Each structure stands twice: as structure tokens, then as C-alpha cells.
Amino acid sequence: MTQLPGNLQTIESHFLDLQSLHPGASGDFTGLLNDITFAAKIISREVTKAGLVDILGATEEENIQGEVVQKLDDYANRIFLKCLGKRGQVCIMGSEEMADPIFVPANQGSGSYIVVFDPLDGSSNIDANVSVSTIFGIWRRHSRRQHVCTEDLLQPGSELVGAGYIVYGSSTMFVYTAGHGVHGFTLDPSIGEFLLSHENIATPFQGGLYSCNEAYEPFWPGPVTEMVHELKRGRGPYRGRMTSRYIGSLVADFHRNLLYGGVYLYPPTSDKPEGKLRLMCEAAPLAMVVENAGGYASDGRRSIMDIAPTDLHQRVPLYIGSREDVLWIEKKLSEPDGSL
Ligand code: AHM
Ligand code: MG
């Protein structure tokens, strides 16, 4: 007997299903997710043809983090700014590529949403055809004042109303959560649609993968080194032999561990006591994703979701992935002789 194929669902129809869970919703949030999807398709098109056109290489300009901006970073940033909030849903946009947030003037709409994004994370991998990604977090504006300000922007991860990422890899995947599960969509480039491919992603409670840049071990705090050694010796929550996997592209590492189980860590080092990754545009959105998939994210002492940012570009140490693994790491690092 011929088997009927499963239902095909586009990402847009998934967003509409989400909206129907909130009777009375204005449609602004749905519109915003659609705008992000549209930006993702354009960026995906450029990333996948990057090897064909003369777009590779650096612009020679430095971003706020002091890193050389790759042309595709710059392009992805501009696409995001162009696509977001066209319908006036957004009041503040913050990007890893821009020193200052953009406050939308009150006379150009009174949007309820704040979007912070890393338009193209892992850009050092572009020339080697390794996966790169976009990360985004969406917060709701709480104040009623006429003009938005920094206070509206600086919210902890626990206040996120939506978050996700787009990974431009062997295929382009859009993964998001709005608090009702984590769902993944794969882009079918022939029809230009993201189709539901990974419904309700649940990450294993423990995993056999750990991902970190081990070249930094001599510069880690002693307790981090000890904890990683224990993990390798099988003294962590996972009972089997651990395996190391590190691409050096955050979302690619995170996404693999989300599906297979394991932990990604970017601890502090003596030269970077705050770590490298950014709280608002990288750590907090991924923390929301992992928590909605049953995992956990910590800075080594507390949940990433609980950290109130004081700056858009604030950095944070990150331990993220399978719940039991990250809780074990947090416990190890908070033992009396394990303090960071
Ligand atoms: P970026 O935002 O400048 O691209 O840097 C973030 C990237 C992450 O994708 C990756 O996990 C990390 O930096 C790798 O850093 P390192 O080379 O120090 O291991
Ligand atoms: Mg980044």
C-alpha cells in the first residue's frame, strides 16, 4: 500500500498556528517572525553563493568588538536592518555589528518589540565554507514612555518572548521558539520555503559530546581545567566515553549538541575574564532555545536567563546544552575550591 507522506507545513503557517494560541494578538509578532524569515532567505542566498562571487574577504573596517568586519557580516547586518520592523513592530534594534542600538523614533511607529541579533556569527569560517549563522532574540517593550531608551533594551533572557537561529550549513535551517516548543525548518531552495523538518526538538538530558576550544586550557581558571578533565574521565553525568567536537562556529556546535546531547563551553580565560560570547545577541537567545528544548545554560554560577545586562555588547562565559551536564558543571564550579 502506498504510504501517504506526512503533512507539509511552511514556517509561515506555523507562525499563524502560534498566533492562534493567543486570541486577540495583533499579528505584529507574526509579522516580525516573517520579516526575520525573509531576511534569512536573502542571507542564505548570498552565503551559499559566496564562493562564486567576489564577496569574500574583509572590508578592512573594525566593528565595536575590534574585529575585522567580513563583507558578508556587513551585508547580513544591512539586510536585517532593512527587513525588520517594516510594519512598525520594532522599537529598538541591536546588532553585534553596530556599536549603538537603533532607537526607532516615536513618529516612525510605536513598535512593541525589541530585536537583538548577531547577523552572521562565525564569520571567520566563511572563507573555509564552514557553517555560519544568524542568531536573534526578541523582547517586548514594557515602558509606556513616548521615546524608547537604553532601559527598554537591557532586559534579561527570562524576558525573551522569542528567540532562534538560522544556520547556513549543508542546508539552511531555521530553528525558533516562542515558548511553545522548539521547532526546526529546512529551506527548500527550489521553492524558497522553510518547511517543518524538526517538530518539538527535545535535547537529551545528558550527552556524550563536549565542545570547547582546548587550546585555551592553559589560560582557563584551574577549576575549569579540573572540571573538563573529570568530564573526559567519565566522572560527569554521562556514563559512556565522551567525545570532543568543536567547529568553532557557535550555532553549528550548539545545534549539533542540541540534537545529539552534550555541552558547549566557552569559559573565561586569563586574557578574557568575561569570556568571548555576547550575552544579548548570542548567549541569552540560545539559552531560551535550549531551555525550551529541555536543556540549560549557565555562566558557571547562575542561569544565563537570569543575568540582567548592563550593556548591549556585554560578554559572558557560557556553558550550554544538556541539562544534567550543565547543572553538573555549575555545581563543580561553585564548589568551595571551584570558584571562578
Ligand atoms: P563572532 O561573533 O565574531 O563570529 O565570534 C563568535 C565565534 C563563535 O561562533 C565561536 O563559537 C567562537 O567565536 C569561536 O571562538 P574561538 O576561535 O576563540 O574558539
Ligand atoms: Mg557572534
Side-chain angles (χ1 to χ4, degrees):
M1 199 168 64
T2 314
Q3 288 256 296
L4 284 174
N7 285 341
L8 281 180
Q9 186 170 25
T10 64
I11 200 167
E12 286 85 0
S13 104
H14 203 268
F15 294 156
L16 286 174
D17 285 354
L18 174 72
Q19 185 180 326
S20 69
L21 298 175
H22 302 270
S26 65
D28 279 2
F29 188 68
T30 307
L32 181 53
L33 290 173
N34 280 326
D35 289 348
I36 293 173
T37 306
F38 182 52
K41 288 179 190 173
I42 299 174
I43 296 168
S44 175
R45 185 193 62 191
E46 290 307 307
V47 168
T48 49
K49 70 181 188 193
L52 297 172
V53 292
D54 184 27
I55 200 168
L56 296 181
T59 58
E60 306 300 328
E61 288 170 24
E62 287 199 348
N63 70 7
I64 179 66
Q65 321 287 349
E67 301 150 336
V68 174
V69 180
Q70 300 280 309
K71 276 184 185 170
L72 270 174
D73 296 30
D74 198 29
Y75 178 83
N77 191 47
R78 281 186 285 116
I79 291 296
F80 245 71
L81 296 178
K82 263 191 184 174
C83 292
L84 284 195
K86 288 189 304 291
R87 298 166 252 239
Q89 319 95 315
V90 178
C91 57
I92 310 176
M93 284 182 278
S95 166
E96 185 188 300
E97 296 299 336
M98 299 185 308
D100 299 312
I102 294 179
F103 295 101
V104 179
N107 62 5
Q108 287 176 25
S110 52
S112 331
Y113 293 103
I114 294 149
V115 187
V116 177
F117 53 91
D118 183 350
L120 209 62
D121 182 73
S123 53
S124 62
N125 295 302
I126 291 172
D127 288 349
N129 202 8
V130 172
S131 299
V132 288
S133 55
T134 299
I135 308 169
F136 64 89
I138 306 171
W139 283 265
R140 190 188 283 280
R141 172 186 183 178
H142 293 301
S143 77
R144 289 174 186 274
R145 63 176 81 86
Q146 195 190 0
H147 298 287
V148 275
C149 63
T150 307
E151 203 181 299
D152 295 299
L153 167 71
L154 298 177
Q155 297 188 43
S158 54
E159 294 290 326
L160 278 161
V161 292
Y165 56 83
I166 302 102
V167 56
Y168 312 100
S170 50
S171 53
T172 296
M173 250 192 101
F174 191 121
V175 176
Y176 90 102
T177 184
H180 299 277
V182 176
H183 309 287
F185 301 79
T186 302
L187 182 64
D188 181 337
S190 65
I191 56 170
E193 293 280 6
F194 280 102
L195 301 174
L196 182 61
S197 53
H198 297 65
E199 192 169 17
N200 274 317
I201 297 173
T203 195
F205 285 119
Q206 309 165 342
L209 298 173
Y210 77 97
S211 311
C212 60
N213 191 334
E214 299 230 40
Y216 300 151
E217 182 186 317
F219 313 104
W220 288 340
V224 171
T225 307
E226 182 52 33
M227 176 273 291
V228 172
H229 283 187
E230 286 205 29
L231 205 59
K232 290 192 226 177
R233 287 186 206 112
R235 296 187 191 142
Y238 186 71
R239 287 290 134 229
R241 177 76 67 88
M242 297 297 286
T243 299
S244 164
R245 291 282 183 274
Y246 190 68
I247 297 168
S249 193
L250 173 61
V251 174
D253 281 308
F254 172 84
H255 181 70
R256 181 202 52 240
N257 293 2
L258 184 76
L259 297 182
Y260 300 159
V263 61
Y264 173 96
L265 31 145
Y266 205 112
T269 49
S270 46
D271 57 335
K272 290 181 192 148
E274 304 301 325
K276 177 184 184 188
L277 302 171
R278 292 79 172 169
L279 175 60
M280 290 198 76
C281 61
E282 293 169 326
L286 295 184
M288 184 187 187
V289 171
V290 87
E291 287 212 354
N292 277 271
Y296 181 55
S298 172
D299 72 346
R301 284 172 301 163
R302 60 196 157 153
S303 168
I304 290 287
M305 300 289 273
D306 291 339
I307 304 175
T310 53
D311 184 87
L312 169 62
H313 296 285
Q314 182 173 334
R315 295 174 193 261
V316 72
L318 181 63
Y319 306 85
I320 189 167
S322 292
R323 186 167 185 82
E324 285 184 22
D325 296 335
V326 180
L327 284 171
W328 176 83
I329 290 173
E330 201 175 60
K331 186 164 166 286
K332 282 277 149 200
L333 299 181
S334 54
E335 281 172 359
D337 58 348
S339 84
L340 292 174

